[in-house]
């Protein structure tokens, strides 16, 4: 306490905002019937002093360091709470300048700190102006000077703790405020504020003092009056312990820096303290309300008892609404959590069934995370729900149903009981003086009645005391603590269990993340493909519009990628194959007529009957399939590319056509674009070359080249061949076509693929070849005898001169092998195929239009032979 001040910031314990309007003259603290402490404010202008006094038998006036002071009034007046405490406030209101002063709705507010008071006045009041419903507020009423210069009044208040006990200091900090209501601003204006400390009794712990920086040396002892009855230093332990009525335990009194101020029993002026001298402290918060000392002074029936009961009954209504709201909110939290748990469980079960499918990608995630961690969390939430029900909802419901709801009934019951008792008593007393047994009987009956009523009154009183004295609240607090403990424990259990699983989860997440990255990579690859396709089609469109050949772009990928798993076609090049072999493989869609064109047959390409076929070039064979979308079937016998040539078929009727020419027939294919056509010609040329070179042996490479199959093919070819011999061939623009062939790739090592060696000697091969036909015994181009060379694609035997010329034509026209030196080219298949051809058959085609006498003789110059051979095979001059 200090000087009465008009500013909240001043270090004053009693604060009066508007002294003439409302002045607090005196506070009497009353315990039982005794006034144990008086606090007076003396009007000694200019500074008003506050003086605390107490009777010597109650001990000294004491102070305690204010645990809640933040630079304001660091000391609090200390009051011991031995029993119920009453505070009596003496007020004066005065006229101001001859005008009446009126206070409207004077309100008393009790809180634990000035800050709380501020909150109530400034915040809570705005939210709920009905302050009478506020448990720690009272409405005193309206006061006015009513024409008098001043008006005095007294108001009493029974102290009840505002908060739970401060377990560290074993007491309660209190701030009280008197405020009046300003109608204009619709606000409460604090007029008087006062803070004090109530120390609990019995004192079970040593000290309500601060053990941190609290040092009373910061508080000047000088204001202690010199008329003190103690001449020694009042702070020394010896002097303290010698004083009458001190409540200081030895351990604490041994400290010279005790913060408990002890002053003389008579009266003192409370020191004015320097602002900022107070230490800051943060006392721990008591969690549990201590039981209040039982009030054994069961009041007699009378105004006090009735007023007490009325007060308690009023509180019941407020309590009823609050508890009901608490119960409802707990119940709805419980229900929504239960519903949420059920839904989460459904989600887990859904995941579970997904994960149970064969090769389910969900399995790992489900088993590692959801089955374990998810269930742990769900389990925690279920447990938490159960705890909420057991520890909170059920006890609160019981309190509400059994105690609070029955309060009304009990009140009614007591009121009736009371009425009946007093009615009866009135009748009893109105009876005339009786004598003898009758008198005894009626007196006994009265005593019984009285006893019964007193018992009921006692029970009702106890019930209401329990309901509002903190016992019921404490029961709830206890349950809440138990709930808190249970929830925290199961939460920590769950957390610990999850902690153990964390490394596995990290691994899982990492691998899922990597897989995801792969997918993203694939997706971007696909997008790139798509962009390329887009670009390609636009280029093609452009080309078709302008008719000019633009830059060559790769063959459309979609064509080669059509085949699906399970089809007999491979969609990817076999990485084991070398590049030549890979280039000799291709598959895709081509359009073609239903059947091959026989040599010499007139062809009109502008006819209907074009179909699309799935065509594969592989293993030296070209195969066509129909019904490729569902169940591919071989359309024609595969073409043995060993004896075939490929060239562009310039046709005015259809675009992008190329032809595969065998000694017996021609097959015309139509590609979808110029690039596609070039790609096919290139692939087929490569296949021809590698089959001639032995790298593309037709044996043992494809399932379709079984021996019987080969034989069947041969027969077929023979049939076609025999028919074609008599036909007249059509001339073609050979040189142009040859030029258009994509550059073939020259095969590298022959040993890349196993070629089947014929284990016969070379003479044997020579004789076999010569034995096939008499025409084979003369050079196909100059009739020289005993040719020892062979063109393995044209299937003709050659003398050494003509063989040399053939070699110079390039392998794309003729592939020459020695019949005496070559040991690897003549596979059994080749010999089989060779049997179907001979020099005569070949010349029937290649020399169909040859004028007589133009063919060189065996003894002709090499240059003559060379010119003839160029014209015959390169320029194809004598072809039909
Ligand atoms: Zn020759």
């Amino acid at each position: 306490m200090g000087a009465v001040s008009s500013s909240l910031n001043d270090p004053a314990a009693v604060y009066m905002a508007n002294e003439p309007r409302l002045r607090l003259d005196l506070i009497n603290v009353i315990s039982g019937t005794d006034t144990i402490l008086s606090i007076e404010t003396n009007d000694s202008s200019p500074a008003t002093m506050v003086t605390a006094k107490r009777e010597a038998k109650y001990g000294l006036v004491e102070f305690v360091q204010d645990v809640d002071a933040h630079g304001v009034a660091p000391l609090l007046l200390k009051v011991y709470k031995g029993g119920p405490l009453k505070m009596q406030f003496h007020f004066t209101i005065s006229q101001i300048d001859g005008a009446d002063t009126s206070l409207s709705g004077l309100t008393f507010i009790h809180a634990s700190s000035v800050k709380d008071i501020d909150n109530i006045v400034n915040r809570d009041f705005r939210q709920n102006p009905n302050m009478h419903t506020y448990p720690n507020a009272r409405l005193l009423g309206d006061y006015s000077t009513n024409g008098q210069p001043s008006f005095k009044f007294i108001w009493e208040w029974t102290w009840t703790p505002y908060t739970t006990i401060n377990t560290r200091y074993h007491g309660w900090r209190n701030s009280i405020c008197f405020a009046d209501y300003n109608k204009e601003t619709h606000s409460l204006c604090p007029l008087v504020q006062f803070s004090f400390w109530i120390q609990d009794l019995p004192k079970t712990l040593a000290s309500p003092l601060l053990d941190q920086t609290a040092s009373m040396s910061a508080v000047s002892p000088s204001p202690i009056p010199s008329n003190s009855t103690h001449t020694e230093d009042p702070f020394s332990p010896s002097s303290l312990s010698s004083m009458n009525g001190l409540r200081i335990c030895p351990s604490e009194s041994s400290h010279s820096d005790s913060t408990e101020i002890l002053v003389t029993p008579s009266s003192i002026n409370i020191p004015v303290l320097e602002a900022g001298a107070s230490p800051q402290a943060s006392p721990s918060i008591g969690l549990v309300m201590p039981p209040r000392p039982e009030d054994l002074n069961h009041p007699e029936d009378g105004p006090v008892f009735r007023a007490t009961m009325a007060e308690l009954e009023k509180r019941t209504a407020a309590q009823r609404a609050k508890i009901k709201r608490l119960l409802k909110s707990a119940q709805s939290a419980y229900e929504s959590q239960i519903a949420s748990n059920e839904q989460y469980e459904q989600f887990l079960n859904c995941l579970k069934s997904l994960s149970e499918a064969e090769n389910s990608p969900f399995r790992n995630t489900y088993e590692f995370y959801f089955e374990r961690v998810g269930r742990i969390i769900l389990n925690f939430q279920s447990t938490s729900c159960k705890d909420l029900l057991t520890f909170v909802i059920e006890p609160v419901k019981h309190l509400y149903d059994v105690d609070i709801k029955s309060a009304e009934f009990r009140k009614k019951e007591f009121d009736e009981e009371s009425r009946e008792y007093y009615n009866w008593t009135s009748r009893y007393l109105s009876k005339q003086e009786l004598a003898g047994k009758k008198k005894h009987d009626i007196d006994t009956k009265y005593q019984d009645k009285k006893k019964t009523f007193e018992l009921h009154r006692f029970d009702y009183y106890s019930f209401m005391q329990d309901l509002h004295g903190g016992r019921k609240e404490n029961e709830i607090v206890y349950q809440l603590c138990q709930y808190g403990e249970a929830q925290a424990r199961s939460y920590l259990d769950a957390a610990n269990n999850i902690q153990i699983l964390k490394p596995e989860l990290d691994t899982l997440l990492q691998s899922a993340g990597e897989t995801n990255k792969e997918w993203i990579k694939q997706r971007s690859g696909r997008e790139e493909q798509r962009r390329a396709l887009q670009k390609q089609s636009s280029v093609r469109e452009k080309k078709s519009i302008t008719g000019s050949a633009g830059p060559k772009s790769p063959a459309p990928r979609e064509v080669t990628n059509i085949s699906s798993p399970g089809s007999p076609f491979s969609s990817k090049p076999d990485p084991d194959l070398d590049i030549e072999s890979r280039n000799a493989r291709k598959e895709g869609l081509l359009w073609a007529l239903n059947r091959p064109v026989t040599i010499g047959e007139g062809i009109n390409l502008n006819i209907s009957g074009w179909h699309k076929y799935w065509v594969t070039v592989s293993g030296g064979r070209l195969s066509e399939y129909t019904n490729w979308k569902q169940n591919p079937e071989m359309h024609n016998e595969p073409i043995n590319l060993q004896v075939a040539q490929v060239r562009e078929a310039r046709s005015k009727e259809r675009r992008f056509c190329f032809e595969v020419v065998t000694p017996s027939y021609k097959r015309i294919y139509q590609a979808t674009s110029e690039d596609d056509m070039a790609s096919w010609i290139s692939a087929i040329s490569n296949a021809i070359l590698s089959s001639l070179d032995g790298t593309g042996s037709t044996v043992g490479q494809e399932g379709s080249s079984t021996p019987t199959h080969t034989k069947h093919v041969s027969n077929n070819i023979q049939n076609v061949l025999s028919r074609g011999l008599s036909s007249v061939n059509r001339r073609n623009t050979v040189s142009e076509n040859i030029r258009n062939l994509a550059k073939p790739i020259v095969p590298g090592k022959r040993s890349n693929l196993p070629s089947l060696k014929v284990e016969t000697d070379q003479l044997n091969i020579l004789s076999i070849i010569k034995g096939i036909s008499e025409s084979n015994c003369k050079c196909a181009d100059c009739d020289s005898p005993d040719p020892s060379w062979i063109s393995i694609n044209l299937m003709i035997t050659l003398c050494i001169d003509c063989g040399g010329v053939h070699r110079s034509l390039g392998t794309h026209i003729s592939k020459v092998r020695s019949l005496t030196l070559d040991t690897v080219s003549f596979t059994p298949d080749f010999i089989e195929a060779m049997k179907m051809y001979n020099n005569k058959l070949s010349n029937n085609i290649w020399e169909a239009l040859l004028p007589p006498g133009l063919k060189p003789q065996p003894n002709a110059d090499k240059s003559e032979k060379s010119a003839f051979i160029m014209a015959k095979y390169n320029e194809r001059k004598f072809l039909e």
Side-chain angles (χ1 to χ4, degrees):
M1 297 174 79
V4 173
S5 163
S6 58
S7 164
L8 261 178
N9 294 326
D10 284 355
V14 175
Y15 159 71
M16 291 190 212
N18 194 336
E19 209 180 312
R21 214 164 131 72
L22 181 69
R23 180 187 161 74
L24 176 62
D25 300 308
L26 173 72
I27 306 166
N28 282 328
V29 182
I30 301 159
S31 178
T33 53
D34 294 333
T35 299
I36 55 165
L37 186 68
S38 294
I39 299 135
E40 277 181 39
T41 59
N42 325 83
D43 188 6
S44 52
S45 191
T48 304
M49 299 300 289
V50 179
T51 310
K53 287 180 190 170
R54 78 189 304 176
E55 292 293 324
K57 64 172 175 175
Y58 299 118
L60 303 173
V61 174
E62 291 178 42
F63 293 87
V64 65
Q65 190 89 33
D66 187 355
V67 295
D68 196 40
H70 299 286
V72 180
L75 293 183
L76 288 179
L77 198 62
K78 180 174 175 181
V79 177
Y80 284 103
K81 177 190 167 293
L85 287 174
K86 250 192 289 185
M87 297 183 97
Q88 205 176 57
F89 299 93
H90 295 244
F91 289 104
T92 304
I93 56 173
S94 305
Q95 283 184 340
I96 300 167
D97 299 325
D100 274 336
T101 296
S102 295
L103 302 177
S104 59
L106 186 63
T107 304
F108 167 81
I109 300 158
H110 176 213
S112 66
S113 69
V114 176
K115 200 179 156 212
D116 287 350
I117 297 257
D118 286 346
N119 283 340
I120 293 164
V121 167
N122 296 318
R123 192 189 59 204
D124 296 7
F125 177 76
R126 268 204 289 278
Q127 285 164 6
N128 176 20
N130 296 318
M131 287 306 280
H132 61 272
T133 61
Y134 202 81
N136 290 76
R138 301 274 191 291
L139 183 65
L140 274 67
D142 299 340
Y143 295 90
S144 172
T145 48
N146 276 330
Q148 301 293 317
S150 66
F151 172 71
K152 286 182 185 291
F153 67 94
I154 301 169
W155 186 75
E156 264 188 13
W157 169 60
T158 306
W159 178 85
T160 48
Y162 175 71
T163 51
T164 55
I165 190 169
N166 181 325
T167 50
R168 182 164 183 170
Y169 304 115
H170 302 277
W172 294 266
R173 197 195 182 282
N174 300 270
S175 283
I176 56 171
C177 171
F178 292 88
D180 76 336
Y181 174 60
N182 186 330
K183 277 180 193 159
E184 278 162 29
T185 60
H186 182 60
S187 61
L188 282 176
C189 308
L191 294 169
V192 171
Q193 262 176 238
F194 174 51
S195 295
F196 57 98
W197 177 267
I198 298 225
Q199 186 68 42
D200 195 25
L201 271 183
K203 217 171 147 192
T204 51
L205 279 175
S207 174
L209 310 175
L210 296 174
D211 53 6
Q212 292 149 327
T213 56
S215 165
M216 283 314 292
S217 61
V219 179
S220 166
S222 60
I224 292 186
S226 55
N227 64 348
S228 164
T229 51
H230 303 279
T231 51
E232 314 132 82
D233 177 2
F235 293 96
S236 77
S238 60
S239 82
L240 290 177
S241 54
S242 67
M243 285 180 195
N244 180 30
L246 286 185
R247 301 177 183 279
I248 290 184
C249 69
S251 66
E252 142 186 30
S253 61
S254 65
H255 294 287
S256 59
D257 61 350
S258 164
T259 53
E260 215 169 83
I261 300 181
L262 305 165
V263 290
T264 55
S266 56
S267 86
I268 61 151
N269 287 329
I270 290 146
V272 177
L273 297 161
E274 301 293 322
S278 72
Q280 300 282 313
S282 48
S284 61
I285 296 163
L287 282 173
V288 183
M289 281 193 296
R292 297 200 310 172
E294 187 82 28
D295 183 7
L296 295 174
N297 297 330
H298 176 56
E300 279 184 29
D301 197 10
V304 174
F305 174 77
R306 294 291 167 151
T308 308
M309 295 315 284
E311 178 66 34
L312 293 175
E313 282 154 6
K314 205 169 91 186
R315 276 196 237 166
T316 308
Q319 193 185 37
R320 181 178 176 146
K322 279 183 196 164
I323 297 292
K324 192 175 179 181
R325 207 161 64 223
L326 176 73
L327 186 62
K328 261 188 140 173
S329 62
Q331 274 170 335
S332 75
Y334 171 78
E335 278 157 20
S336 58
Q337 185 66 61
I338 289 279
S340 155
N341 289 354
E342 276 167 9
Q343 278 162 10
Y344 191 70
E345 175 128 40
Q346 270 178 25
F347 163 66
L348 289 182
N349 290 340
C350 266
L351 268 183
K352 189 181 181 196
S353 61
L354 269 180
S355 76
E356 279 165 354
E358 207 174 328
N359 296 327
S360 170
F362 297 101
R363 184 170 299 164
N364 276 356
T365 316
Y366 176 74
E367 285 177 358
F368 280 105
Y369 185 77
F370 292 99
E371 177 63 33
R372 297 155 85 182
V373 178
R375 301 270 176 200
I376 289 172
I377 291 171
L378 183 62
N379 193 37
F380 159 70
Q381 278 163 348
S382 306
T383 311
S384 186
C385 266
K386 268 182 233 152
D387 290 343
L388 185 66
L389 187 67
T390 313
F391 292 120
V392 180
I393 294 173
E394 282 171 355
V396 172
K397 195 167 189 311
H398 186 268
L399 170 74
Y400 183 75
D401 287 345
V402 176
D403 295 321
I404 296 175
K405 272 187 170 171
S406 71
E408 214 169 298
F409 170 74
R410 276 169 173 263
K411 175 187 177 335
K412 217 167 137 192
E413 208 178 38
F414 174 72
D415 286 348
E416 273 169 24
E417 180 88 22
S418 166
R419 199 162 46 243
E420 197 204 308
Y421 166 71
Y422 284 111
N423 284 342
W424 194 90
T425 308
S426 298
R427 284 199 303 276
Y428 161 72
L429 294 176
S430 66
K431 293 236 184 330
Q432 286 179 344
E433 194 70 26
L434 295 164
K437 190 174 177 296
K438 247 187 175 172
K439 179 180 184 293
H440 175 75
D441 284 354
I442 198 149
D443 284 355
T444 311
K445 199 173 179 189
Y446 169 70
Q447 290 302 328
D448 286 350
K449 281 268 181 195
K450 190 179 177 183
K451 198 168 74 190
T452 311
F453 173 67
E454 284 298 321
L455 274 174
H456 282 152
R457 201 170 64 83
F458 181 82
D459 289 348
Y460 181 49
Y461 180 75
S462 309
F463 170 77
M464 289 304 273
Q465 285 289 331
D466 281 354
L467 199 56
H468 295 290
R471 205 189 102 188
K472 293 293 173 188
E473 277 95 340
N474 194 59
E475 275 175 20
I476 294 177
V477 168
Y478 177 63
Q479 297 293 343
L480 285 173
C481 289
Q482 279 198 307
Y483 168 68
E485 196 276 334
Q487 190 181 43
R489 185 161 30 81
S490 62
Y491 186 83
L492 289 173
D493 281 353
N496 284 336
N497 288 334
I498 291 169
Q499 185 73 43
I500 295 164
L501 298 173
K502 188 74 170 52
E504 265 175 293
L505 293 176
D506 290 342
T507 314
L508 181 68
L509 175 68
Q510 205 182 352
S511 78
E514 273 160 19
T515 311
N516 211 28
K517 260 189 232 159
E518 282 298 310
W519 281 114
I520 289 169
K521 224 157 77 186
Q522 282 193 22
R523 201 167 53 208
S524 61
R526 188 191 297 158
E527 275 162 12
E528 229 166 77
Q529 264 183 33
R530 198 174 184 281
R531 272 197 299 277
L533 272 176
Q534 230 167 11
K535 215 169 147 190
Q536 217 168 54
S537 52
S538 62
V539 166
R540 212 180 294 153
E541 274 162 26
K542 216 171 164 185
K543 252 170 42 177
S544 66
I545 290 163
T546 60
S548 69
K552 296 257 173 187
S553 48
R557 293 182 77 146
E558 80 272 18
V559 173
T560 51
N561 279 341
I562 280 174
S563 63
S564 57
S567 87
F569 319 110
S570 61
S571 58
K572 278 186 207 162
D574 187 343
D576 292 338
L577 292 173
D578 58 28
I579 181 119
E580 300 96 60
S581 304
R582 266 212 302 282
N583 287 333
R585 293 171 72 97
K586 185 170 168 64
E587 60 184 334
L589 276 181
L590 286 174
W591 277 252
L593 286 166
N594 201 27
R595 61 176 188 84
V597 181
T598 314
I599 302 289
E601 192 179 331
I603 315 159
N604 178 10
L605 295 180
N606 192 18
I607 53 167
S608 57
W610 287 80
H611 300 283
K612 57 182 184 297
Y613 299 98
W614 187 256
V615 177
T616 66
V617 175
S618 174
R621 285 173 184 280
L622 186 151
S623 313
E624 295 170 25
Y625 295 88
T626 56
N627 198 21
W628 50 275
K629 282 179 190 163
Q630 284 93 32
N631 187 23
E633 290 161 17
M634 188 83 77
H635 173 62
N636 273 343
E637 295 303 332
I639 299 171
N640 183 355
L641 293 173
Q642 216 167 9
V643 295
Q645 289 199 22
V646 64
R647 62 193 178 193
E648 187 180 345
R650 283 285 159 103
S651 156
K652 281 175 187 160
E653 291 94 354
R654 291 183 87 91
R655 311 159 68 201
F656 320 130
C657 284
F658 64 95
E659 52 192 25
V660 177
V661 183
T662 69
S664 48
Y665 64 93
K666 203 161 65 174
R667 187 94 176 106
I668 301 169
Y669 295 101
Q670 187 178 26
T672 54
S673 71
E674 210 166 303
D675 292 336
D676 191 27
M677 181 184 72
S679 161
W680 276 105
I681 290 173
S682 164
I684 293 168
S685 300
N686 285 334
I688 291 168
L689 285 173
S690 26
S691 68
L692 294 175
D693 209 37
T695 54
S697 168
T698 58
V699 176
Q701 290 242 345
E702 294 287 312
S704 60
S705 23
T706 56
T708 47
H709 187 80
T710 309
K711 201 167 180 186
H712 188 56
V713 177
S714 309
N715 290 339
N716 238 9
I717 290 172
Q718 215 159 27
N719 290 341
V720 176
L721 195 67
S722 57
R723 273 191 279 123
L725 287 176
S726 56
S727 308
V728 184
N729 292 335
R730 189 171 65 91
R731 176 176 284 277
N732 212 332
T733 49
V734 179
S735 55
E736 225 177 272
N737 292 340
I738 299 288
R739 212 171 46 239
N740 279 329
L741 285 175
K743 195 187 172 197
I745 292 168
V746 179
K749 284 183 266 174
R750 287 176 182 183
S751 56
N752 277 340
L753 283 172
S755 67
L756 297 179
K757 273 191 190 177
V758 178
E759 298 296 331
T760 51
D761 58 67
Q762 295 303 312
L763 275 176
N764 208 358
I765 286 167
L766 191 62
S767 64
I768 287 168
I769 299 296
K770 284 181 175 169
I772 288 169
S773 161
E774 206 183 317
S775 66
N776 286 355
C777 298
K778 288 192 286 182
C779 171
D781 293 335
C782 72
D783 290 335
S784 293
D786 296 325
S788 58
W789 297 81
I790 184 167
S791 168
I792 57 174
N793 60 319
L794 296 172
M795 305 299 232
I796 48 176
T797 55
L798 299 164
C799 71
I800 188 160
D801 288 349
C802 296
V805 179
H806 270 256
R807 222 184 279 278
S808 71
L809 293 175
T811 50
H812 60 286
I813 294 177
S814 184
K815 192 119 192 176
V816 183
R817 292 281 183 273
S818 166
L819 282 168
T820 53
L821 303 172
D822 198 303
T823 56
V824 294
S825 295
F826 311 113
T827 62
D829 251 20
F830 175 79
I831 291 164
E832 273 305 303
M834 191 63 202
K835 283 177 182 167
M836 291 179 290
Y837 308 103
N838 55 55
N839 289 2
K840 193 178 172 214
L841 287 174
S842 177
N843 282 339
N844 281 344
I845 294 167
W846 291 101
E847 296 176 3
L849 301 179
L850 177 69
L854 208 71
K855 188 165 180 166
Q857 294 302 301
N859 54 357
D861 279 353
K862 198 176 173 185
S863 59
E864 194 188 332
K865 288 180 183 177
S866 176
F868 172 73
I869 289 166
M870 289 291 279
K872 184 177 174 182
Y873 298 103
N874 201 358
E875 293 163 36
R876 306 188 185 196
K877 270 189 176 171
F878 318 120
L879 269 176
E880 176 272 332

